[in-house]
């Protein structure tokens, strides 16, 4: 007998995306260039993210740029939203491209065409009763802010972001209740280029710059919470973390201590500031030992304390196993952060270890720590899909992955965790953030496009489409 899980009646089932990975139309509607527009697809992207030198220019002779056209959601959003509605989505997580609203990021007035586009998207969602969950900044700050200001190292970015967030709240106050400030804010500790807008430079200043820039984002996030609460009744603003429970490779106390230390810097430092409203005690020693001195202005700490987030959203793809002394052969890759191979886990084709129990652990750890509602806003399996001769796509591997993770959420709810929703990543195939590939697919909906940009962009329902529809229809009782 299959166990029946009890999800709350208002549970927000749905899917998640990010503007730069699906919209395309990178120069239409008055949009400015963003950091995502200059990142090429393929292996070279990972090298850039890891810190290779880079001039932030587009070079179409040398590289392909899959984000430029994405999957053309910009022109096909009605068709796509109709498919989400057919699956019964209660929520759709999407992001707003900052450079559609403020093409350079530092203008005083927004671009009306950009604002209008999202009005139309939200109206289309509401037509089907789908709740938008909107990330304000998802790996795509305006390129001008990178080039002219050095990205988030520069404190001026706080006021640009505040203006941008207030513009969104004012415009969409009747259409959007759930907002997330910065996507995977802690991911910047490893890959600052995507969200902080600068290259990780020489080792001495790397962490100094990253944590100074993060401090600016924390302040910006609190200002956004403040503004949202002043401007929108019943609004909910969340932080967004990458969460990877950190396992010790074995029970050697040195390794256990190492896991504790690694885990809390990566998983908790940002969350503690955004949720509890203050830097955690362990940060002080970490900052001291790494020569990090954060320039904190008068009033910053009070602001952080006064305006913490209302809920915690996070992405969960994998756990992470760590060991104090390790050799390169022991390592595995993963979502932004890697670790040593866990002998008990299998991995995806991209080396991301698959660990549904880790999601239950993540939910419990986060709830124990923060006691605030949780929202899983990303989770899923990036895999190669095959279109059969009859046109079907039998992605049982994806169904198995999602089923086990949904069960883990059901168990966590029984453990007492307050979980408000689940939006699986890339509900429609889109461009991968880490590799720029199309062939790393997550969707319930197949999109005909390859890594070189060829294809008809035709949408096709996979087997998982019908399966997820049933999950939502039964509120997680039939998985
Ligand atoms: C997260 C990002 C997403 C997304 C996802 C999957 O880190 O927030 O933007 O892309 O991971 O990663 P990838 O696309 O590299 O497979």
């Amino acid at each position: 007998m299959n166990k029946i899980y009890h999800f709350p009646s208002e549970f927000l089932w749905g899917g998640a995306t990010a503007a730069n990975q699906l919209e395309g139309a990178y120069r239409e509607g008055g949009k400015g260039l963003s950091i995502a527009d200059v990142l090429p697809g393929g292996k070279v992207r990972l090298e850039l993210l890891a810190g290779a030198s880079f001039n932030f220019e587009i070079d179409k002779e040398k590289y392909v740029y899959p984000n430029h056209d994405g999957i053309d959601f910009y022109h096909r959003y009605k068709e796509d939203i109709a498919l989400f509605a057919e699956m019964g989505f209660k929520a759709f997580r999407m992001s707003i491209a900052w450079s559609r609203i403020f093409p350079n990021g530092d203008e005083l007035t927004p671009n009306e065409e950009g604002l209008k586009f999202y009005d139309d998207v939200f109206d289309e969602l509401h037509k089907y009763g789908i709740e938008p969950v909107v990330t304000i900044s998802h790996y795509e700050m305006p390129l001008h802010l990178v080039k002219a200001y050095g990205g988030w190292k520069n404190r001026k970015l706080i006021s640009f972001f505040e203006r941008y967030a207030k513009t969104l709240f004012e415009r969409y106050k009747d259409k959007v209740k759930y907002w997330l400030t910065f996507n995977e804010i802690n991911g910047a500790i490893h890959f600052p280029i995507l969200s902080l807008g600068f290259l990780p430079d020489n080792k001495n200043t790397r962490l100094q710059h990253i944590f100074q820039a993060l401090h600016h984002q924390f302040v910006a996030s609190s200002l956004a919470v403040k503004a949202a609460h002043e401007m929108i009744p019943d609004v909910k603003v969340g932080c967004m973390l990458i969460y990877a429970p950190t396992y010790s490779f074995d029970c050697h106390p040195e390794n256990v201590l190492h896991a504790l230390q690694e885990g809390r810097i990566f998983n908790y430092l940002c969350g503690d500031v955004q949720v509890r409203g203050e830097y955690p005690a362990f940060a002080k020693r970490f900052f001291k030992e790494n020569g990090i001195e954060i320039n904190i202005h008068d009033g910053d700490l009070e602001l952080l304390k006064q305006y913490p987030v209302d809920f915690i959203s996070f992405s969960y793809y994998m756990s992470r196993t760590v060991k104090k002394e390790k050799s390169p052969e022991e390592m595995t890759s993963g979502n932004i952060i890697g670790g040593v191979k866990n002998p008990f886990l299998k991995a995806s084709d991209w080396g991301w270890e698959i660990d549904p129990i880790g999601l239950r652990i993540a939910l419990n750890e986060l709830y124990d720590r923060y006691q605030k509602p949780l929202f899983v806003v990303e989770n899923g399996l990036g895999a190669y899909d095959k279109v059969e001769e009859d046109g079907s796509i039998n992605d049982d591997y994806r169904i198995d992955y999602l089923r086990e993770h949904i069960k883990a959420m059901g168990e966590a709810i029984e453990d007492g965790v307050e979980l408000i929703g689940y939006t699986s990543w890339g509900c429609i195939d889109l461009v991968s953030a880490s590799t720029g590939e199309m062939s790393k697919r997550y969707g319930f909906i197949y999109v005909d496009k390859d890594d070189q940009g060829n294809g008809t962009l035709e949408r096709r329902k996979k087997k998982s489409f019908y399966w997820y529809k049933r999950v939502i229809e039964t509120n997680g009782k039939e998985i």
Side-chain angles (χ1 to χ4, degrees):
M1 255 285 276
N2 285 338
K3 178 167 175 183
I4 303 280
Y5 291 98
H6 299 280
F7 287 84
S9 55
E10 301 299 305
F11 196 73
L12 293 168
W13 296 101
T17 59
N20 77 89
Q21 294 171 255
L22 91 165
E23 282 178 5
Y26 84 116
R27 292 306 261 164
E28 284 180 57
K31 182 182 169 302
L33 285 178
S34 82
I35 182 96
D37 296 324
V38 297
L39 289 175
K43 279 211 177 70
V44 64
R45 180 182 303 219
L46 272 175
E47 286 160 23
L48 292 177
L49 296 181
S53 69
F54 184 39
N55 58 8
F56 298 103
E57 299 293 341
I58 295 174
D59 184 349
K60 288 195 178 173
E61 301 279 295
K62 247 168 120 181
Y63 303 122
V64 285
Y65 293 89
N67 301 62
H68 288 185
D69 304 313
I71 58 158
D72 198 30
F73 179 82
Y74 189 77
H75 297 110
R76 297 169 191 244
Y77 66 91
K78 288 192 178 163
E79 183 192 342
D80 294 340
I81 291 171
L83 288 165
F84 302 152
E86 194 182 327
M87 273 187 280
F89 276 21
K90 311 279 185 223
F92 176 55
R93 176 177 174 230
M94 52 180 276
S95 71
I96 292 182
W98 187 346
S99 60
R100 279 199 194 286
I101 311 301
F102 289 99
N104 282 327
D106 58 358
E107 298 91 338
L108 295 177
T109 41
N111 168 32
E112 175 55 31
E113 231 182 314
L115 288 168
K116 170 82 174 55
F117 169 66
Y118 294 105
D119 261 324
D120 295 345
V121 172
F122 298 143
D123 290 345
E124 197 65 18
L125 289 168
H126 285 300
K127 191 168 115 187
Y128 298 103
I130 301 174
E131 187 74 48
V133 176
V134 178
T135 318
I136 301 174
S137 181
H138 190 135
Y139 293 159
E140 56 194 319
M141 62 194 299
L143 191 61
H144 176 71
L145 298 183
V146 173
K147 289 186 164 180
Y149 296 89
W152 279 93
K153 268 185 291 192
N154 192 326
R155 194 173 167 102
K156 289 198 179 117
L157 274 268
I158 297 176
S159 55
F160 301 146
F161 180 86
E162 189 187 10
R163 186 181 305 139
Y164 165 50
K166 282 182 169 168
T167 303
L168 302 184
F169 299 152
E170 182 54 40
R171 178 76 170 221
Y172 306 124
K173 56 176 183 267
D174 299 324
K175 300 184 181 180
V176 181
K177 293 283 178 227
Y178 290 91
W179 296 91
L180 312 178
T181 49
F182 295 98
N183 181 63
E184 297 191 333
I185 189 165
N186 51 331
I189 297 172
H190 292 271
F191 282 163
I193 185 171
L194 283 173
S195 54
L196 299 179
F198 56 83
L199 293 167
D201 46 15
N202 81 63
K203 290 215 158 40
N204 298 333
T205 51
R206 179 191 160 97
L207 287 175
Q208 168 65 32
H209 286 156
I210 289 174
F211 282 96
Q212 183 65 56
L214 278 172
H215 178 72
H216 295 151
Q217 288 197 337
F218 298 149
V219 172
S221 173
S222 281
L223 286 167
V225 173
K226 176 175 188 290
H229 282 272
E230 285 165 3
M231 296 165 78
I232 315 177
D234 308 327
V235 73
K236 304 266 180 246
V237 187
C239 59
M240 195 318 196
L241 310 168
I242 305 189
Y243 196 87
T246 310
Y247 304 155
S248 171
F249 180 73
D250 58 22
C251 54
H252 193 300
E254 288 282 8
N255 285 334
V256 176
L257 179 66
H258 184 63
L260 171 80
Q261 289 170 331
E262 287 271 304
R264 60 187 187 180
I265 297 297
F266 188 72
N267 286 326
Y268 294 131
L269 199 152
C270 294
D272 283 3
V273 179
Q274 291 190 288
V275 183
R276 292 172 162 171
E278 56 191 31
Y279 281 92
F282 64 78
K284 297 196 178 86
R285 178 165 182 178
F286 173 74
F287 289 161
K288 197 167 155 221
E289 290 182 351
N290 287 284
I292 300 166
E293 278 179 39
I294 300 183
N295 181 4
I296 297 177
H297 283 203
D298 285 350
D300 283 1
L301 296 180
E302 292 72 13
L303 189 83
L304 298 178
K305 191 73 200 165
Q306 222 180 332
Y307 300 102
V309 291
D310 304 308
F311 68 98
I312 297 118
S313 79
F314 66 103
S315 65
Y316 176 80
Y317 292 91
M318 48 181 283
S319 52
R320 180 185 183 210
T321 304
V322 300
K323 197 175 174 194
K324 195 153 186 230
E325 306 295 338
K326 59 210 167 261
S327 59
E329 307 81 66
E330 293 176 283
M331 302 300 283
T332 179
S333 57
N335 184 22
I336 310 241
I337 37 159
V340 296
K341 288 193 183 86
N342 183 325
F344 302 102
L345 299 177
K346 294 204 173 91
S348 78
D349 291 335
W350 278 263
W352 295 20
E353 289 179 335
I354 300 171
D355 181 11
I357 293 177
L359 177 54
R360 180 173 174 188
I361 295 170
L363 286 161
N364 275 281
E365 286 179 344
L366 281 166
Y367 199 65
D368 284 353
R369 191 172 187 96
Y370 298 128
Q371 310 274 300
K372 282 201 181 179
L374 303 180
F375 196 158
V376 178
V377 293
E378 283 188 34
N379 170 242
L381 179 71
Y384 294 107
D385 287 335
K386 181 162 174 263
V387 184
E388 303 295 345
E389 283 194 358
D390 64 357
S392 62
I393 298 135
N394 299 310
D395 55 343
D396 292 292
Y397 37 90
R398 182 169 293 110
I399 296 174
D400 291 344
Y401 177 101
L402 295 171
R403 179 188 295 116
E404 293 311 310
H405 286 78
I406 291 174
K407 282 186 189 168
M409 293 192 300
E411 294 291 343
I413 290 171
E414 259 182 74
D415 292 334
V417 169
E418 188 185 351
L419 180 61
I420 57 176
Y422 176 76
T423 53
S424 72
W425 176 250
C427 46
I428 181 164
D429 291 347
L430 39 63
V431 179
S432 151
S434 58
T435 63
E437 292 164 301
M438 267 308 294
S439 51
K440 190 179 187 190
R441 297 174 183 276
Y442 287 86
F444 304 112
I445 302 163
Y446 185 89
V447 177
D448 180 27
K449 182 175 169 176
D450 68 16
D451 292 341
Q452 304 312 313
N454 307 310
T456 61
L457 291 175
E458 185 204 347
R459 276 59 170 157
R460 197 175 272 278
K461 298 168 198 171
K462 303 182 195 176
K463 188 172 177 185
S464 56
F465 181 100
Y466 302 98
W467 169 81
Y468 196 45
K469 181 175 180 344
R470 191 70 194 136
V471 171
I472 300 177
E473 242 163 40
T474 62
N475 199 26
K477 292 207 162 44
E478 260 186 49
I479 41 179

